[in-house]
């Protein structure tokens, strides 16, 4: 698939957007975002307007320069170059995350890319990074960043408009679903990613996101008499954003999601992004940030 054979659709409200049948392609210099317009509009908009409605959607992204990306994917030492190519056209939100010290671990690439993807497909805007969110305890479970967006995903109005009835605060937790086996390639390792692996990952992240929302400080009311300033409505909706290297793992996550208890999925949108030729997301090392 290349951008050259996809025709532009004038009726699409998203900038730099192209369509082929039911698929939408947002083509940028760094990567192409592909998703089903009806699935995103109908499922996500329904979830945004129903506090308890759980939703699961899948879509795909791939590098605009696929030839160079496949060269980089063959050698872990090209991680930094690969990620630089994938982030040529970052928006303000993703740049803020990129310029902030990472809270720990080797998930810096995935968090930056996650913010950029969601801002593009949801017309959302970053409001707070991970280190800007305050909790009642520094040991509390945390989300990775907060977004503001319209209840209607494809509303052309700015997500930062002062219409509180039409905007939602979204807490986003980012994770990667993959299997690491030493001296085995990412694609080959994916064969060993099981349904049990997916269930464990989703349960862990959903429980963590729940407690993060429970323990976030109420920045609008710091009265100590108000349950130590706890705001149980720190954000209106949670998005669990799962990055996966291929469709096999994406489908395994979908099967695992169906097996989860409804209580665990309530008020959460799970977005699974299949990332083609982006191995740097899964093989990121602390070393990559000091080269």
């Amino acid at each position: 698939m290349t951008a050259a054979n996809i025709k532009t659709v004038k009726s699409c409200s998203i900038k730099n957007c192209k369509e082929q049948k039911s698929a939408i392609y947002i083509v940028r210099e760094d990567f192409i975002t592909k998703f089903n317009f009806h699935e995103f509009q109908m499922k996500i908009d329904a979830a945004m307007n129903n506090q308890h409605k759980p939703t699961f959607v899948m879509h795909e992204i791939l590098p605009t320069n696929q030839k160079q990306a496949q060269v980089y994917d063959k050698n872990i030492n090209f991680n930094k170059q690969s990620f630089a190519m994938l982030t040529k056209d970052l928006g303000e939100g993703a740049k803020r995350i990129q310029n902030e010290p990472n809270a720990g671990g080797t998930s810096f690439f995935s968090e930056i890319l996650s913010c950029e993807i969601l801002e593009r497909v949801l017309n959302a805007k970053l409001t707070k990074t991970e280190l800007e969110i305050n909790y009642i305890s520094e040991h509390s479970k945390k989300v990775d960043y907060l977004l503001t967006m319209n209840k209607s995903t494809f509303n052309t109005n700015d997500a930062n408009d002062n219409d509180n009835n039409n905007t939602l605060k979204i807490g986003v937790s980012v994770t990667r679903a993959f299997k690491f086996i030493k001296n085995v390639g990412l694609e080959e390792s994916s064969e060993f990613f099981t349904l049990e692996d997916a269930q464990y990952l989703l349960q862990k992240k959903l429980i963590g996101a729940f407690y993060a929302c429970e323990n976030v400080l109420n920045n609008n009311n710091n009265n100590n008499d108000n349950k130590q300033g706890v705001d149980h409505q720190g954000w209106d909706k949670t998005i669990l954003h799962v990055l996966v290297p291929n469709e096999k793992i994406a489908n395994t996550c979908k099967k695992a999601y169906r097996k989860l208890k409804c209580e665990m999925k309530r008020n959460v949108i799970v977005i699974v992004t299949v990332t083609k030729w982006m191995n740097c997301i899964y093989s990121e090392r602390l070393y990559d940030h000091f080269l």
Side-chain angles (χ1 to χ4, degrees):
M1 181 185 65
T2 62
N5 58 13
I6 305 172
K7 67 177 183 178
T8 302
V9 176
K10 295 181 180 178
S11 61
C12 182
S13 61
I14 300 179
K15 295 179 181 179
N16 299 323
C17 178
K18 299 173 183 294
E19 181 178 32
Q20 189 176 41
K21 295 183 179 179
S22 61
I24 293 289
Y25 295 85
I26 304 175
V27 182
R28 298 281 185 86
E29 183 183 358
D30 43 16
F31 63 87
I32 301 169
T33 308
K34 175 185 175 183
F35 59 97
N36 184 293
F37 177 80
H38 299 294
E39 177 165 294
F40 264 73
Q41 184 182 43
M42 295 175 67
K43 286 188 176 182
I44 293 183
D45 282 4
M48 290 300 173
N49 287 279
N50 184 332
Q51 185 178 10
H52 300 293
K53 184 175 179 61
T55 300
F56 183 102
V57 293
M58 293 165 49
H59 78 112
E60 176 184 33
I61 66 171
L62 63 162
T64 305
N65 188 343
Q66 296 160 33
K67 184 176 180 180
Q68 186 62 58
Q70 291 177 66
V71 172
Y72 286 152
D73 265 10
K74 294 177 181 178
N75 192 330
I76 193 173
N77 292 320
F78 287 128
N79 275 359
K80 188 171 183 178
Q81 293 89 331
S82 177
F83 191 71
M85 184 183 70
L86 296 172
T87 54
K88 288 181 180 179
D89 196 16
L90 289 182
E92 292 183 6
K95 285 180 180 177
R96 276 177 59 190
I97 295 177
Q98 188 176 40
N99 293 328
E100 180 179 75
N102 187 255
T106 54
S107 58
F108 200 42
F109 288 171
S110 58
E111 290 173 15
I112 295 168
L113 197 59
S114 166
C115 180
E116 184 63 28
I117 293 167
L118 295 189
E119 285 194 332
R120 292 185 190 185
V121 300
L122 301 179
N123 284 348
K125 288 200 174 182
L126 180 78
T127 54
K128 287 191 176 183
T129 63
E130 182 174 4
L131 298 182
E132 293 171 341
I133 307 170
N134 297 313
Y135 299 88
I136 61 173
S137 168
E138 63 180 40
H139 303 295
S140 171
K141 295 293 185 181
K142 299 174 175 63
V143 293
D144 294 296
Y145 56 88
L146 300 184
L147 295 173
T148 299
M149 62 175 290
N150 291 300
K151 288 183 179 180
S152 177
T153 311
F154 295 92
N155 191 321
T156 57
N157 293 328
D158 195 310
N160 283 342
D161 285 346
N162 295 321
D163 183 1
N164 294 327
N165 294 323
N166 193 45
T167 59
L168 293 173
K169 293 181 291 183
I170 309 295
V172 182
S173 179
V174 185
T175 191
R176 300 166 294 175
F178 69 106
K179 196 80 168 182
F180 174 77
I181 301 177
K182 191 174 182 179
N183 298 325
V184 177
L186 183 63
E187 196 65 31
E188 293 80 3
S189 300
S190 297
E191 297 298 322
F192 298 93
F193 186 86
T194 66
L195 183 63
E196 290 73 23
D197 290 330
Q199 285 181 289
Y200 174 79
L201 177 66
L202 293 180
Q203 288 177 359
K204 176 183 175 182
K205 298 301 291 187
L206 290 172
I207 291 172
F210 170 80
Y211 283 111
C213 189
E214 288 288 295
N215 294 326
V216 68
L217 278 172
N218 180 4
N219 292 321
N220 296 320
N221 186 351
N222 292 319
N223 189 330
N224 291 330
D225 294 330
N226 184 30
K227 287 192 177 182
Q228 296 179 298
V230 177
D231 179 7
H232 294 282
Q233 296 296 321
W235 43 88
D236 305 299
K237 201 84 177 179
T238 297
I239 288 179
L240 174 57
H241 191 193
V242 187
L243 303 178
V244 302
N246 53 53
E247 291 182 5
K248 179 183 182 298
I249 292 182
N251 289 325
T252 301
C253 289
K254 187 174 184 178
K255 291 177 183 178
Y257 175 82
R258 290 172 175 170
K259 290 180 175 291
L260 296 177
K261 294 180 179 179
C262 292
E263 294 79 8
M264 191 173 293
K265 299 184 284 187
R266 184 175 295 132
N267 204 32
V268 178
I269 297 173
V270 177
I271 299 179
V272 175
T273 301
V274 179
T275 60
K276 289 193 174 181
W277 303 306
M278 299 183 182
N279 287 357
C280 63
I281 298 169
Y282 310 97
S283 58
E284 179 184 359
R285 309 159 297 174
L286 290 174
Y287 177 71
D288 294 327
H289 306 293
F290 299 101
L291 290 174

